[in-house]
């Protein structure tokens, strides 16, 4: 089914939206993202993003300048503390060169929302594929609102007031001197976020722990924290909350980090080049702080 989201006065469609899975994800067509977005189109895309949580686009061969301009239409852009292009600091490159017949290990090949190690983690990310592996390298996205909603009542009650510690230690392996590692640790000390986040725009409750950046739950014994986190990480992995996206050069995914998690499937053996711009978000707030 194709949904026409909004129409201009003269009846011209802004773009078409085709839902891809019941839980999340939609393909957006009839739009050229290389052109500056007018306010109406930008607001309609923002509304579609809040509704579908991840939007996909094909054949958008944006220059880096156009990619940055697209992201900047939705908010201020982050500069990643470890990975950024020297001439385009707002662009995070994810470049995997060929591997001789072996599956790779990547830090994004685990379920996560982007940069939850920050006090103000990313609101949204826009990822474009530049080079496709011959086979594989899909990305899977999960609806973290549905993951929360389908927990049993006892677990929901238990986690609603909890907080967890997040840090960027996964990136230390990519820094080649102790000085750089120390700089990262001091710039991004461990930060405490609610385990259940209230989405700042939709008011929904979101499961907000992830297996890349979340270390432990505050106030619980280590073993209890580990058991609860494992249970919550597993909840995000349920296929009924997911959509899987197969890339081609020029494909784009635009996701809401406050409502989703994603997993870059590390099943490919040849080159895969991606570039991401990431929109700064706000400090997560949990249900216990809401009136
Ligand atoms: C990311 O985690 O932002 C990148 C996902 C991917 O490479 O598919």
């Amino acid at each position: 089914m194709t949904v026409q989201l909004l129409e201009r006065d003269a009846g011209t469609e802004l773009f078409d939206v085709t839902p891809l899975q019941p839980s999340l994800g939609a393909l957006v067509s009839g739009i050229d993202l290389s052109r500056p977005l007018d306010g109406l189109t930008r607001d309609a895309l923002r509304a579609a993003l809040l509704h579908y949580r991840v939007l996909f686009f094909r054949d958008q061969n944006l220059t880096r300048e156009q990619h940055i301009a697209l992201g900047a239409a939705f908010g201020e852009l982050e500069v990643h503390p470890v990975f950024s292009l020297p001439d385009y600091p707002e662009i995070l490159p994810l470049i995997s060169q060929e591997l001789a017949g072996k599956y790779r290990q990547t830090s994004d090949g685990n379920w996560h929302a982007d940069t939850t190690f920050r006090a103000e983690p990313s609101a949204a990310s826009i990822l474009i594929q530049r080079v496709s592996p011959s086979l594989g390298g899909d990305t899977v996205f999960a609806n973290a609102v549905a993951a929360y909603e389908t927990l049993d009542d006892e677990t929901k009650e238990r986690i609603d007031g909890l907080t967890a510690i997040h840090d960027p230690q996964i990136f230390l392996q990519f820094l080649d001197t102790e000085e750089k590692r120390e700089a990262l640790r001091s710039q991004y000390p461990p930060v405490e976020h609610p385990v259940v986040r209230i989405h700042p725009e939709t008011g929904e409750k979101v499961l907000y722990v992830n297996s890349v950046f979340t270390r432990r739950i505050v106030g619980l014994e280590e073993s209890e924290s580990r058991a609860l986190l494992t249970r919550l990480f597993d909840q995000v992995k349920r296929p009924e909350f997911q959509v899987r996206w197969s890339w081609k050069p020029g494909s784009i995914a635009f996701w809401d980090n406050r409502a989703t998690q994603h997993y870059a499937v590390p099943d490919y053996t040849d080159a895969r080049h991606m570039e991401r711009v990431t929109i700064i978000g706000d400090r997560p707030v949990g249900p216990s702080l809401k009136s």
Side-chain angles (χ1 to χ4, degrees), residues 94 108 112 114 127 138-139 247 255 262 264 272 274 276:
L94 291 148
D108 48 352
H112 66 285
D114 293 325
L127 183 69
D138 293 355
T139 307
W247 298 90
W255 63 89
H262 55 281
R272 178 180 188 267
M274 316 294 287
R276 189 180 94 197

Side-chain angles (χ1 to χ4, degrees), residues 21-185:
Q21 290 295 336
S23 189
L24 82 166
L27 180 67
V28 179
S29 56
I31 188 168
D32 177 359
L33 295 177
S34 70
R35 298 162 67 93
L37 296 178
D38 60 62
L40 197 60
T41 307
R42 186 208 46 222
D43 292 350
L45 280 175
R46 198 196 301 272
L49 182 67
L50 292 177
H51 186 76
Y52 294 104
R53 312 192 193 281
V54 53
L55 303 178
F56 302 109
F57 306 81
R58 292 285 187 205
D59 304 318
Q60 304 286 336
N61 294 300
L62 308 190
T63 63
R64 287 177 172 156
E65 288 80 3
Q66 289 165 342
H67 190 192
I68 290 170
L70 174 65
F74 294 93
E76 197 184 334
L77 300 181
E78 292 176 6
V79 175
H80 196 274
V82 178
F83 305 108
S84 81
L85 289 180
D87 294 338
Y88 299 91
E90 302 92 340
I91 293 187
L92 164 78
L94 291 148
I95 298 183
S96 304
Q97 300 300 348
E98 303 203 3
L99 259 190
K102 291 197 187 113
Y103 286 165
R104 66 189 60 249
Q105 295 296 316
T106 62
S107 56
D108 48 352
N110 270 307
W111 284 102
H112 66 285
D114 293 325
T115 78
T116 65
F117 61 85
R118 292 181 190 269
E120 295 180 339
S122 321
S125 301
I126 303 178
L127 183 69
I128 185 166
Q129 181 155 76
R130 300 292 184 191
V131 175
S132 275
S134 49
L135 205 57
D138 293 355
T139 307
V140 187
F141 295 84
N143 180 343
V145 175
Y148 173 81
E149 279 170 357
T150 49
L151 288 166
D152 61 83
D153 289 345
E154 198 185 323
T155 306
K156 284 185 193 163
E157 243 169 69
R158 180 171 181 219
I159 66 175
D160 267 6
L162 293 177
T163 58
I165 301 297
H166 298 234
D167 71 35
Q169 84 177 30
I170 187 125
F171 296 128
L172 295 177
Q173 61 186 306
F174 301 107
L175 297 171
D176 56 0
T177 64
E178 184 47 31
E179 202 183 350
K180 288 182 195 166
R181 290 190 283 272
E182 193 41 44
L184 181 70
R185 285 192 207 99

